[in-house]
Amino acid sequence: MKQNPVTVHAAQTVGEAVGVLVHHTFRSVPVLGPDGTLIGQFGIHSMLRMLVPRIATERKGLQHLDFVRDDLEDLRRRLRVFWDRPVGDYVENDGDVVYLDTPLTKTVLALYHTHENLPVVDRQTGKLLGIISYWDVVRRLVS
Amino acid sequence: MWIAGLIFGACYLVVMSEKFNRANVALLAAGLMIFTGVIDQKEAIAGIDFNTLGLLVGMMLIVAVTRETGIFQFLAIWSAKRVKASPWGILLMLGLVTAFVSAFLDNVTTVLLIVPVTLAITEELDVPAYPFLFAEILCANIGGTATMIGDPPNIMLGSQVEHLSFTDFLVHLTPAVALVLAATFVPIWVMWGRKMRATPEARARVMAFEARSAIKDRGLLVKCMLVLGLVVAGFVLGHSRGLEPATVAITGGAVLMLLSNLGRKIDEKNERVHSFFGHVEWTTIFFFVGLFVVVAGVEASGLLELLGDRIVEGAGSDLNLIAVAVLWVSAVASSVIDNIPFVATMIPTLKGVVADLGLTDQQSLGLWWSLALGACLGGNGTLIGASANLIVAGFAERAGKPIRFFTFLKHAFPLMLMSIAICQAYIWFRYLR
């Protein structure tokens, strides 16, 4: 587990969060509430959702977007709509988190399903303790 | 009689409470009707109207294949571009497309296919989605009223009232529906349409949509249109030849599945047919099965006959009064409770009334059309009035534009009452004077 990971606060803007992702080439970054508790993750997936009509990303929504002819400038325009809004409104909070006492196999299965880094959270306070990545597991396995 | 009444009443109340799955409740109540000896096994089976079930399943299969073609998205985008992406024009066109499609397919399927494109268009236009969704809900229920296959109450009426044919529904209900549809757009224009604006850039984005790219399979589309045309022809011509709509719809569904699978390997054929059957709303089908048995139980107990007698007595054998009461009671009841059990109960009750009053088929038309118009249009009164309303609300919620119950009620209930007033005038002038 990596302690003191890079995080963003819910009140920061989407633009700032995207900047963090791009700067560190992260897939996702944990988003903390005002009291330091984890409220979810903001990642490349959250950002890609902003680039297409929202209904296309919803269950039973539009099945395809073949009729939309967006170019790069159109995609920039879509992203600009969200750029100055608080990132806390766009976190994905349905992802897995693990706790210090989560069994290792369960953690590996969660990493397999999410393809993401997993936040490690204090079970009592909900505060972020660190991040575990599949690299952490692989490195420990082969060391 | 009281056991039947008790089971029926409890079933109705529990379905209304929406705390349990309605098919589950109806099947349990159906089982209780048999276990308590209200009806026996044979009477229960005889009470199930397989024509209604067959018609529903057949049409659902046809829709399951047709939705693969992308025709509904094409229609929505094409109509938006025809009006140069003007917001009010789009609202009007999408409403009309919804009403037209709903007349031939079930309302839930129609909104499932039209609403996602609507949300994409309103997002591009940067205009509020609510007026568009509101209009589509109303238009789906209004359009569904126009034909025998547009809405479950009409499907039940067409199946259970022998002298009503597919053509009768078109000839008698479509004029009323056209009046209601035209009148409905007036308050929508006053409330929202006249104030709708979109920037030239936003309109240009919608104009850049390529409608033809929405069509996924042209070959299949041709097959679907051909089969759908033949099925409608079968509905029109079949009645006089003793051909039930269920036979036409099921055969159409089977032919279309076969055509859509031509040239594919057997494994793929099996998988696709399995998927088509997966699109049939089995919960609705089994809800009907349970309900038919429950209604057969109450009918066998003599309760519905008694109710029919009371209605005739209460109205002093005045047909005009009964028809008007049926229209308004059906409308108000259907805006708060499921119109399927309501109509399932009303059909045998009104058959009793027709018999008591000694009406001919022609004389009874006003009664049946009052029931159809009231039950179908009443669904527009509240957000829970019809399944299509809830489907649209679900989409709106997921798209981050929730429709509030009371906001919808405030806008929709007066419009529903207006539509029923128009229908009363129509029924009065055409059938009752």
Side-chain angles (χ1 to χ4, degrees):
Chain A
M1 177 181 86
K2 185 193 286 176
Q3 288 176 322
N4 302 316
V6 176
T7 58
V8 292
H9 286 273
Q12 285 183 262
T13 64
V14 167
E16 287 170 320
V18 171
V20 170
L21 292 177
V22 173
H23 179 72
H24 296 280
T25 55
F26 284 166
R27 289 169 65 102
S28 60
V29 60
V31 180
L32 305 182
D35 56 353
T37 55
L38 179 78
I39 61 167
Q41 298 219 78
F42 178 83
I44 292 296
H45 185 255
S46 327
M47 197 185 113
L48 292 178
R49 282 186 75 172
M50 295 170 173
L51 302 181
V52 293
R54 181 164 172 177
I55 193 64
T57 64
E58 298 295 334
R59 192 174 54 85
K60 287 190 175 179
L62 273 177
Q63 291 159 344
H64 66 86
L65 286 173
D66 296 4
F67 56 88
V68 180
R69 288 283 180 269
D70 279 358
D71 57 20
L72 199 58
E73 191 44 47
D74 290 318
L75 297 186
R76 282 201 189 101
R77 175 187 53 77
R78 288 183 189 278
L79 190 57
R80 271 201 299 272
V81 172
F82 300 93
W83 199 254
D84 293 323
R85 295 183 185 170
V87 69
D89 294 346
Y90 299 97
V91 294
E92 313 257 335
N93 50 14
D94 49 356
D96 283 317
V97 296
V98 289
Y99 306 100
L100 286 175
D101 57 355
T102 302
L104 188 58
T105 311
K106 188 175 175 182
T107 306
V108 170
L109 185 62
L111 285 167
Y112 168 76
H113 283 307
T114 60
H115 303 272
E116 296 276 358
N117 294 338
L118 288 175
V120 184
V121 174
D122 185 296
R123 197 184 278 280
Q124 262 75 47
T125 63
K127 295 220 166 146
L128 182 71
L129 300 173
I131 285 283
I132 185 164
S133 73
Y134 31 82
W135 285 117
D136 295 328
V137 179
V138 172
R139 283 195 193 105
R140 290 291 292 274
L141 275 174
V142 298
S143 65
Chain B
M1 189 189 289
W2 67 269
I3 296 178
L6 200 68
I7 297 171
F8 174 78
C11 173
Y12 230 102
L13 286 175
V14 178
V15 168
M16 270 173 66
S17 76
E18 294 183 348
K19 298 277 185 211
F20 297 90
N21 178 279
R22 59 183 189 163
N24 196 164
V25 176
L27 288 175
L28 182 64
L32 285 174
M33 283 285 183
I34 302 170
F35 278 114
T36 52
V38 174
I39 46 173
D40 63 27
Q41 196 73 46
K42 277 188 180 169
E43 288 171 317
I45 298 295
I48 300 171
D49 179 17
F50 287 97
N51 193 35
T52 299
L53 302 183
L55 182 52
L56 281 165
V57 172
M59 291 310 292
M60 285 174 186
L61 287 174
I62 290 172
V63 170
V65 182
T66 310
R67 63 189 295 160
E68 285 195 345
T69 64
I71 180 67
F72 304 104
Q73 285 90 341
F74 168 83
L75 278 175
I77 296 165
W78 174 82
S79 59
K81 292 180 73 169
R82 291 290 294 177
V83 291
K84 307 270 185 267
S86 116
W88 167 247
I90 292 177
L91 185 148
L92 194 65
M93 288 296 272
L94 290 180
L96 292 175
V97 167
T98 306
F100 179 77
V101 177
S102 293
F104 297 96
L105 308 178
D106 77 281
N107 303 350
V108 168
T109 307
T110 305
V111 297
L112 266 176
L113 298 166
I114 301 282
V115 166
V117 197
T118 306
L119 287 166
I121 291 173
T122 54
E123 192 177 322
E124 291 296 306
L125 282 178
D126 200 17
V127 292
Y130 175 71
F132 292 79
L133 302 182
F134 179 84
E136 283 170 20
I137 288 176
L138 265 58
C139 290
N141 293 320
I142 294 170
T145 313
T147 68
M148 192 186 84
I149 52 171
D151 218 0
N154 285 4
I155 290 179
M156 279 190 280
L157 273 166
S159 301
Q160 295 177 28
V161 183
E162 292 76 13
H163 61 91
L164 298 181
S165 69
F166 186 85
T167 319
D168 288 333
F169 279 84
L170 276 182
V171 170
H172 294 274
L173 291 185
T174 307
V177 164
L179 286 172
V180 169
L181 193 59
T184 300
F185 280 115
V186 176
I188 292 178
W189 184 80
V190 172
M191 284 190 284
W192 301 293
R194 64 198 170 101
K195 293 174 251 171
M196 278 180 180
R197 297 284 180 276
T199 63
E201 295 78 27
R203 289 173 66 168
R205 285 198 294 274
V206 173
M207 289 305 288
F209 281 0
E210 279 190 8
R212 276 186 299 175
S213 302
I215 301 282
K216 300 304 291 175
D217 189 337
R218 283 170 199 281
L220 184 59
L221 177 61
V222 172
K223 291 170 190 170
C224 290
M225 292 302 110
L226 182 74
V227 170
L228 206 55
L230 287 173
V231 165
V232 172
F235 289 147
V236 175
L237 304 171
H239 189 75
S240 56
R241 291 167 176 75
L243 210 57
E244 292 289 353
T247 312
V248 177
I250 291 269
T251 310
V255 169
L256 189 54
M257 285 195 290
L258 198 72
L259 289 176
S260 78
N261 278 334
L262 286 179
R264 295 176 197 272
K265 290 181 179 167
I266 181 65
D267 285 350
E268 201 185 346
K269 283 179 182 167
N270 285 338
E271 201 176 303
R272 281 170 59 82
V273 170
H274 188 77
S275 153
F276 294 142
F277 274 103
H279 278 105
V280 173
E281 288 168 52
W282 294 110
T283 314
T284 305
I285 301 298
F286 280 98
F287 177 50
F288 270 104
V289 171
L291 206 58
F292 284 139
V293 175
V294 172
V295 172
V298 216
E299 200 177 356
S301 73
L303 203 62
L304 295 186
E305 200 183 338
L306 189 70
L307 184 65
D309 293 345
R310 287 285 149 85
I311 291 173
V312 173
E313 274 173 36
S317 300
D318 182 348
L319 173 64
N320 295 1
L321 186 61
I322 297 172
V324 170
V326 166
L327 178 69
W328 285 94
V329 170
S330 306
V332 174
S334 296
S335 69
V336 284
I337 62 167
D338 199 328
N339 60 14
I340 295 172
F342 180 78
V343 173
T345 318
M346 283 304 285
I347 290 173
T349 309
L350 289 185
K351 278 184 176 175
V353 171
V354 169
D356 282 352
L357 294 177
L359 301 176
T360 63
D361 289 350
Q362 190 63 26
Q363 288 168 327
S364 69
L365 284 178
L367 272 184
W368 298 120
W369 301 138
S370 294
L371 179 60
L373 289 166
C376 293
L377 296 177
N380 274 337
T382 69
L383 204 52
I384 56 164
S387 309
N389 309 10
L390 291 168
I391 296 286
V392 178
F395 267 127
E397 182 92 39
R398 291 202 296 280
K401 303 168 189 341
I403 299 177
R404 303 284 168 221
F405 182 88
F406 285 106
T407 309
F408 184 84
L409 183 77
K410 187 176 73 182
H411 297 134
F413 202 79
L415 264 67
M416 184 276 284
L417 294 180
M418 176 194 78
S419 70
I420 298 302
I422 293 170
C423 291
Q424 183 181 326
Y426 176 81
I427 297 263
W428 183 267
F429 282 111
R430 190 154 177 192
Y431 305 103
L432 301 180
R433 277 186 304 156

